[in-house]
Amino acid sequence: WYLTDLGETSKARSWIAEALNLSRRYRHAYSRLLADLARGYLHYRAGRLCKALPILRAAYADCLRHRFHGFEPASASWLALCLIDLGLLDEAQTIVEETVARGHFLKVRTSATYYLHEARCRLALAQGDAASAEALAGVALDHARACEDVVHELHALVLCAEVRAKTGRTVAA
């Protein structure tokens, strides 16, 4: 997904294909999860939401089934973001609420956990909850900075600007 975020889509496609091949050949569920997440994310970021959705749904289900708690926040979030963009807010809300209730994101603070904060913020925006969107954008920015992750900090700054543009509320940076 970093390659996708950096605009290196041809390299991302190549690496994803290789990862899918290897994970299938060696029947390695964790590697398969990561490859599927990267593939779904690539489609999501390219705006191919209908192609991304089944991949992200399956990856999220695999993540839960295999108890890969470290990637639950990212898998749930990318699925929720895709659902939000498709206007399926009730399903997105259920996924986000269940993920928050399980609380794995509190124990596994990685840069990929950023996306849970982004999904919660975008859901609040889509539901017209400006105050929550403002607060969650701040949480997303703080998280990215705490992880010292420049790519996600830039994502968070864009998110803060979007919240300001849509709500008129300024997120403290």
Side-chain angles (χ1 to χ4, degrees):
W1 44 91
Y2 276 104
L3 289 172
T4 297
D5 284 339
L6 293 171
E8 298 280 345
T9 53
S10 61
K11 189 182 282 187
R13 275 193 299 275
S14 173
W15 286 17
I16 290 166
E18 184 177 349
L20 284 168
N21 248 350
L22 291 171
S23 66
R24 287 176 184 143
R25 182 181 315 147
Y26 294 105
R27 294 185 179 124
H28 194 258
Y30 188 72
S31 297
R32 176 65 188 265
L33 170 69
L34 297 180
D36 283 340
L37 283 173
R39 184 169 59 117
Y41 186 71
L42 177 68
H43 289 303
Y44 167 71
R45 285 304 231 190
R48 296 185 298 268
L49 303 179
C50 291
K51 197 163 190 167
L53 185 59
I55 297 167
L56 293 172
R57 274 192 172 129
Y60 177 61
D62 286 346
C63 185
L64 295 179
R65 182 174 48 258
H66 294 292
R67 296 187 184 119
F68 295 143
H69 301 305
F71 270 94
E72 182 196 356
S75 65
S77 302
W78 292 342
L79 174 55
L81 287 166
C82 189
L83 292 165
I84 291 164
D85 287 356
L86 288 167
L88 302 170
L89 302 185
D90 291 341
E91 186 178 353
Q93 182 170 349
T94 297
I95 289 166
V96 167
E97 286 175 353
E98 289 173 355
T99 298
V100 169
R102 280 189 287 273
H104 296 132
F105 75 101
L106 298 170
K107 300 171 197 144
V108 182
R109 285 186 52 89
T110 67
S111 59
T113 304
Y114 158 81
Y115 294 100
L116 180 60
H117 305 303
E118 179 181 345
R120 294 172 70 201
C121 177
R122 291 193 183 284
L123 183 59
L125 276 176
Q127 293 172 328
D129 185 350
S132 291
E134 176 189 6
L136 290 164
V139 169
L141 181 59
D142 289 346
H143 176 80
R145 287 179 172 162
C147 290
E148 298 180 2
D149 183 350
V150 175
V151 171
H152 291 111
E153 183 176 349
L154 294 173
H155 274 289
L157 289 169
V158 169
L159 182 64
C160 292
E162 288 178 23
V163 167
R164 183 175 53 252
K166 291 180 180 177
T167 69
R169 294 173 168 271
T170 301
V171 179

